[in-house]
Amino acid sequence: MGLSSSQARLLSITARLTDNEYRTQSLTNARLKLTDISDAARVQYQNALNSNKFVYMSYNENGSGVKIDLTPTVLYQYQPCKNQYSLVNNANKILVSSTDAKNFKETDNLAEFLKRYGCFEEIKSIKTFIKAAGATDENQENNNIVKSITEETLKVTDPEKAQWYTNLWYRMNGMDDPERIYKQTGDNVNANNEEITNTEYLLTLYDVKKQTNFNFYEELDSRLMTSKDWLNNALAQGIVTMEKVGVGRNTSEDKFQWSSIIYTNATDIISQQDDTKIAQAEAEYNQAMSEVNAKDKVFENKIRKLDTEHNALQTEYNSVKAAMDKNIERSFKVFQG
């Protein structure tokens, strides 16, 4: 092989060696990026293991405890003998569902609001009185006086439910100390053994008007109403706080009171490990690691192949260079005579 051809061959091998080294370095960097991906997947999985969710402790018909993922809908849904809570934003406005907001907007007073929930109704009855013949009255007819009186009676079909939505209406209306639907008495009959219906008291509900110049509530997006993740984060980060209805120390026995409560102090709201989120995170972690391992194996095989090629090229390079050195040495000897 001549000197010029050896030089060309040497340059060709050098170029291939450089390309080989560049490709090996690129694959090595790609493997390092896979390490970053696996570390991120591991951190995400660890965070899921450490994450908790809030559940609401309810009870079924048999009295057994049932844990339900806590959402605004679960919190606001009426059930007998259930503690009543509300969510309040940083502007001190109660957050309500679209249904509650609509019912409040479309009614003028508490009584009409309660009718929307099927727990309060009016009963009108007509009583007719006939006076004996011979009585003097301008409304005589066939010597009889006929007089009709329409009596209006108010009836609460579900007292607990009515009280629940009375409490809600008061808070939405910016009023403190909700009235009890039924006054507290020692007995449910009066001195004449007549059943107490509180009709006269219930009629005053029509006089409890809505404050039209102020807005003390805010409608919560329907997607957030059913989101446990949003509520968990909102409570944990202080975006919303909670209030609870109870008998206030400074209120009379005929009133309730909305009071602030720290969500961790609510006995029927429990924090526990989110098994669903952990299972999902574990599946995502396993999938991510499987993909990382598969790609890493491909990169490893390519690097091994390049290393083999690099060794062969290096051997050929050394051989060609040695031949060139001998040719140069012989050429110098010829000229030196």
Side-chain angles (χ1 to χ4, degrees), residues 38 283-297:
S38 62
E284 292 175 353
Y285 172 75
N286 290 335
Q287 181 178 355
M289 293 306 298
S290 177
E291 293 176 356
V292 166
N293 291 333
K295 290 180 180 179
D296 186 68
K297 191 68 176 177

Side-chain angles (χ1 to χ4, degrees), residues 54 242 261-267 269 271:
F54 295 115
M242 289 181 60
I261 182 174
I262 301 175
Y263 65 92
T264 53
N265 292 340
T267 56
I269 297 177
S271 177

Side-chain angles (χ1 to χ4, degrees), residues 28 61 80 90 163 178 199 207 212 215 220 262 286 307 336:
T28 301
E61 298 177 352
N90 292 329
Q163 188 65 63
T199 298
D207 297 327
T212 57
N215 186 9
L220 188 61
I262 301 175
N286 290 335
D307 286 342
Q336 289 175 355

Side-chain angles (χ1 to χ4, degrees), residues 94-250:
I94 182 175
L95 303 178
V96 298
S97 68
S98 58
T99 299
D100 294 332
K102 179 176 182 292
N103 289 341
F104 187 83
K105 290 176 183 177
E106 294 179 354
T107 55
D108 295 325
N109 52 55
L110 175 56
E112 292 178 0
F113 182 77
L114 293 179
K115 290 178 187 177
R116 294 291 182 98
Y117 298 94
C119 52
F120 177 67
E121 64 181 4
E122 294 175 311
I123 300 176
K124 292 185 178 182
S125 59
I126 299 177
K127 290 187 176 181
T128 302
F129 299 89
I130 302 177
K131 197 170 185 179
T136 59
D137 193 286
E138 59 182 6
N139 292 326
Q140 288 188 16
E141 181 178 342
N142 298 326
N143 295 325
N144 290 332
I145 294 179
V146 178
K147 185 178 182 182
S148 297
I149 300 176
T150 301
E151 290 191 340
E152 184 178 54
T153 303
L154 301 184
K155 179 181 180 182
V156 174
T157 56
D158 189 334
E160 287 189 26
K161 188 175 182 181
Q163 188 65 63
W164 177 285
Y165 287 105
T166 295
N167 300 336
L168 177 63
W169 188 91
Y170 264 75
R171 184 61 178 85
M172 293 177 68
N173 201 39
M175 300 171 63
D176 297 326
D177 306 337
E179 295 278 352
R180 289 184 185 269
I181 289 296
Y182 282 102
K183 301 277 188 178
Q184 299 299 295
T185 59
D187 198 354
N188 63 348
V189 296
N190 60 19
N192 298 322
N193 289 327
E194 296 174 344
E195 185 178 351
I196 296 175
T197 62
N198 281 323
T199 298
E200 182 178 352
Y201 166 65
L202 291 175
L203 281 170
T204 64
L205 297 181
Y206 283 99
D207 297 327
V208 185
K209 304 297 183 182
K210 186 167 60 177
Q211 300 190 59
T212 57
N213 296 329
F214 303 94
N215 186 9
F216 299 96
Y217 69 92
E218 186 171 308
E219 183 177 339
L220 188 61
D221 187 275
S222 58
R223 293 168 297 181
L224 300 183
M225 283 294 298
T226 57
S227 173
K228 65 175 183 179
D229 292 333
W230 175 82
L231 184 55
N232 287 345
N233 294 331
L235 287 173
Q237 297 175 18
I239 298 174
V240 298
T241 56
M242 289 181 60
E243 291 183 356
K244 179 183 178 182
V245 172
V247 178
R249 294 181 179 179
N250 300 324

Side-chain angles (χ1 to χ4, degrees), residues 58-73:
S58 181
Y59 297 90
N60 58 22
E61 298 177 352
N62 300 324
S64 302
V66 179
K67 295 179 181 179
I68 308 172
D69 287 344
L70 185 64
T71 66
T73 297

